[in-house]
């Protein structure tokens, strides 16, 4: 195997494993035969050293702060592209031609309505239900309504399910919001863009015409692009794992939504803005930095740190610029932005954050923009789920199309009691 192999010694025996190279990024040691040959497992909680799949979708160089979707940098996509183009790129493999773009947006637009009986689901939730709780339930329930797109072995059905999920997510999220504030939900308007339609369904009311602000539409579209995919993060891995058993796509995406909800993942945008409000004034920043550094205090700077980025998250830079654009368009100036800027500066000059390579991530600034646009914090993670659906369905399709795909089934290091005899209750 020459240089393209890794030698591994165990109990006096040497074993050789092939080393695989991707188009970018570190090599990987193919240890698939390791258990069969050595009888030993590898131990990697949190999967910090484990590649779970091959993928052509997204590449991250965490050290350099690079994020590419099928080779295109996130900065160029955020600046020049649209969310629908990025969706096409991720799902179909290439940026669309003008005709493909028109076909694709037309297809997505025609799938935005929900089955009317699904609307009844919302009434079953308490009025104060978290939108993510509603999203988990309603997206999972799609499988009960769209039986004609749940055969995962049929590529055409897989594509229809993917289009449905991407198209219906804005409607589902907007309806969750409308339900929480007691307003009637809005039907989609096919004349509007994907993002303009979502803004109208969220902020419009049937009694008045809603005029989409093009600056806000552009900013929101860019936020969707920034969240579209991020290789094998926790929720995407959840979608892949759920899908590996052959579960239907709607159930898999509902599983992804559940995972995304956690504050260490998509829930961080909500937590970050709550934290900035709690800090309230730049004078209090040192107190919070001290708490974040204190090993005995569970507090962490929300929106800071990342498993993969050990440099500035490129999405956070675009977000920071977008805050300025949105503030100018809406003529607002939220003091929380000053707190965020100063917190960032202080943290980036503090040895604790420098040594641990902790930088702002995508969630640090997104909440400030979303709040300025008018979204309550409880909707932030739902918006993330809406955008990430594109990545989830693209990754799910990639996995199902892979002929080598097998059910995901990690092993464990068992540390419980050894085998012992059952003792009847009276003798214990
Ligand atoms: N504030 C203070 N200290 C931190 C922070 C933080 N935000 N993040 C990490 N650290 C410290 C840890 O205490 C740890 O210190 P130690 O080595 O002395 O024990 C070290 O940095 C490494 O942290 P881990 O938790 O081991 O890193 P991991 O890769 O497992 O976690 C995570 C990454 C979950 C993102 C973490 O940085 C975090 O909790 N950040 C805050 C939540 C957040 O913003 N999440 C959004 C992530 S992006 C996304 O999902 C879209």
């Amino acid at each position: 195997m020459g240089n393209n192999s890794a030698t591994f010694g165990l109990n006096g025996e040497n074993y050789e494993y092939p080393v695989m190279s991707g188009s970018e990024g570190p090599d990987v040691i193919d240890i698939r035969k390791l258990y069969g040959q050595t009888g030993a497992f590898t131990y990697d909680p949190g999967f910090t050293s484990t590649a779970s799949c091959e993928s052509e979708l997204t590449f991250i160089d965490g050290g350099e702060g690079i994020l590419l979707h099928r080779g295109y940098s996130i900065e160029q996509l955020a600046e020049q592209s649209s969310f629908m183009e990025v969706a096409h790129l991720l799902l179909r493999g290439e940026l669309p031609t003008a005709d493909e773009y028109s076909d694709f947006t037309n297809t997505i637009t025609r799938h935005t309505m929900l089955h009317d009986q699904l609307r009844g689901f919302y009434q079953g939730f308490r009025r104060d239900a978290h939108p993510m709780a509603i999203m988990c339930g309603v997206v999972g329930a799609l499988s009960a309504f769209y039986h004609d797109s749940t055969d995962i072995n049929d590529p055409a059905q897989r594509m229809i399910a993917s289009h449905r999920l991407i198209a219906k997510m804005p409607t589902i999220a907007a309806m969750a919001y409308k339900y929480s504030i007691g307003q009637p939900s809005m039907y989609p308007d096919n004349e509007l863009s994907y993002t303009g339609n979502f803004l109208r369904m969220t902020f419009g009311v049937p009694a008045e015409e809603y005029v989409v602000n093009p600056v806000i539409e552009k900013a929101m579209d860019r936020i969707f692009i920034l969240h579209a995919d991020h290789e094998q993060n926790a929720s995407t891995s959840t979608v892949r794992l759920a899908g590996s058993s052959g579960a239907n796509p709607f159930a898999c995406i509902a599983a992804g939504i559940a995972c995304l909800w956690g504050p260490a993942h998509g829930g961080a945008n909500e937590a970050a803005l709550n934290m900035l409000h709690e800090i309230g004034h730049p004078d209090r920043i040192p107190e919070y930095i001290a708490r974040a550094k204190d090993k005995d205090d569970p507090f962490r700077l929300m929106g800071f740190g990342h498993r993969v980025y050990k440099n500035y998250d490129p999405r956070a830079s675009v977000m920071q610029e977008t805050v300025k654009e949105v503030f100018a368009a809406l003529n607002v100036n939220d003091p929380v932005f000053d707190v965020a800027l100063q917190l960032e500066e202080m943290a980036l000059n503090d040895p604790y954050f420098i040594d641990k390579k902790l930088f702002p991530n995508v969630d640090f600034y997104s909440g400030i923009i979303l709040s300025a646009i008018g979204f309550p914090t409880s909707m932030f993670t739902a918006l993330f789920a809406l955008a990430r659906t594109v990545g989830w369905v693209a990754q799910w399709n990639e996995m199902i199309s892979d002929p080598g795909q097998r059910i995901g089934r990690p092993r464990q290091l068992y540390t419980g009691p050894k085998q012992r005899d059952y003792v009847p209750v009276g003798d214990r």
Side-chain angles (χ1 to χ4, degrees):
M1 288 180 226
N3 287 336
N4 288 330
S5 70
T7 308
F8 172 75
L10 185 71
N11 298 332
E13 292 276 346
N14 277 343
Y15 303 90
E16 236 176 317
Y17 295 100
V19 172
M20 300 162 73
S21 297
S23 46
E24 301 255 21
D27 288 344
V28 302
I29 306 163
D30 179 354
I31 56 160
R32 277 175 290 185
K33 296 208 169 107
L34 184 131
Y35 174 58
Q37 292 176 340
T38 67
F41 298 142
T42 55
Y43 183 64
D44 186 19
F47 310 115
T48 49
S49 297
T50 299
S52 60
C53 61
E54 277 185 43
S55 180
E56 297 179 354
L57 294 171
T58 294
F59 171 71
I60 303 172
D61 182 331
E64 294 297 319
I66 292 171
L67 167 59
L68 309 176
H69 292 315
R70 297 202 189 264
Y72 298 102
S73 78
I74 192 65
E75 289 87 351
Q76 286 189 6
L77 292 172
E79 179 66 28
Q80 300 176 47
S81 184
S82 70
F83 183 59
M84 278 298 97
E85 264 201 345
V86 174
H88 188 284
L89 174 70
L90 288 167
L91 192 60
R92 303 268 179 90
E94 287 296 342
L95 286 170
T97 62
D99 284 350
E100 285 167 346
Y101 183 69
S102 150
D103 276 359
F104 186 70
T105 49
N106 192 44
T107 303
I108 297 296
T109 304
R110 305 294 141 185
H111 280 107
T112 47
M113 280 174 64
L114 290 189
H115 190 290
D116 213 47
Q117 264 178 284
L118 254 179
R119 297 163 60 82
F121 262 60
Y122 284 78
Q123 314 305 320
F125 288 98
R126 273 173 56 140
R127 188 66 75 188
D128 59 357
H130 195 286
M132 286 296 278
I134 298 182
M135 302 275 285
C136 288
V138 174
V139 172
L142 292 175
S143 39
F145 286 84
Y146 299 102
H147 302 283
D148 58 342
S149 54
T150 52
D151 178 358
I152 63 154
N153 298 313
D154 177 349
Q157 290 203 27
R158 289 207 299 271
M159 207 37 79
I160 295 170
S162 303
H163 293 154
R164 281 181 167 148
L165 277 156
I166 295 170
K168 293 183 199 310
M169 217 47 135
T171 317
I172 292 170
M175 280 175 66
Y177 172 65
K178 286 298 195 195
Y179 182 71
S180 72
I181 58 168
Q183 284 187 1
S185 55
M186 300 280 286
Y187 285 107
D189 179 344
N190 287 357
E191 295 304 309
L192 297 176
S193 71
Y194 183 87
T195 303
N197 188 32
F198 172 64
L199 289 170
R200 180 182 161 278
M201 286 191 291
T202 305
F203 298 117
V205 286
E208 283 174 18
E209 195 191 337
Y210 179 82
V211 181
V212 178
N213 177 333
V215 180
I216 302 305
E217 184 182 17
K218 178 85 196 131
M220 197 71 226
D221 201 72
R222 192 178 303 145
I223 291 173
F224 288 160
I225 293 175
L226 295 178
H227 287 94
D229 191 47
H230 213 226
E231 52 121 302
Q232 308 311 319
N233 57 85
S235 57
T236 301
S237 297
T238 302
V239 169
R240 279 186 178 258
L241 195 55
S244 77
S245 72
N248 78 67
F250 305 108
C252 295
I253 303 305
I257 294 171
C259 178
L260 186 75
W261 195 357
H265 193 8
N269 52 14
E270 185 175 344
L273 190 68
N274 289 340
M275 175 194 76
L276 292 171
H277 279 300
E278 197 185 304
I279 297 175
H281 193 278
D283 290 352
R284 298 188 62 201
I285 293 173
E287 180 195 325
Y288 281 81
I289 292 210
R291 283 188 61 197
K293 289 158 57 175
D294 182 354
K295 280 266 160 257
D296 298 324
D297 188 331
F299 174 76
R300 287 186 166 198
L301 281 192
M302 299 314 286
F304 251 79
H306 198 275
R307 169 59 62 79
V308 182
Y309 292 116
K310 302 302 167 198
N311 200 328
Y312 212 98
D313 180 340
R315 302 168 301 172
S317 325
V318 182
M319 282 290 182
Q320 201 197 72
E321 282 310 304
T322 309
V323 177
K324 293 174 194 156
E325 275 173 36
V326 168
F327 278 13
L330 298 175
N331 204 15
V332 293
N333 189 12
D334 189 340
V336 101
F337 186 41
D338 294 329
V339 175
L341 289 172
Q342 292 195 39
L343 176 61
E344 176 189 321
E345 197 190 325
M346 239 181 254
L348 294 185
N349 285 305
D350 188 298
Y352 174 94
F353 293 89
I354 296 170
D355 291 350
K356 294 188 189 303
K357 298 192 167 72
L358 299 170
F359 292 84
N361 61 48
V362 67
D363 293 322
F364 192 62
Y365 289 106
S366 63
I368 298 173
I369 308 173
L370 297 174
S371 170
I373 294 176
F375 292 101
T377 45
S378 61
M379 275 298 285
F380 293 178
T381 315
L383 302 178
F384 191 158
L386 184 170
R388 184 54 58 85
T389 296
V390 162
W392 288 333
V393 296
Q395 299 260 0
W396 173 80
N397 272 289
E398 186 181 59
M399 178 190 69
I400 302 289
S401 319
D402 178 353
Q405 182 265 326
R406 303 172 73 188
I407 187 168
R409 203 318 187 171
R411 306 305 290 254
Q412 63 169 9
L413 174 66
Y414 176 70
T415 54
K418 287 186 180 294
Q419 184 169 0
R420 49 186 171 162
D421 288 326
Y422 177 82
V423 180
V425 66
D427 299 340
R428 280 174 220 159

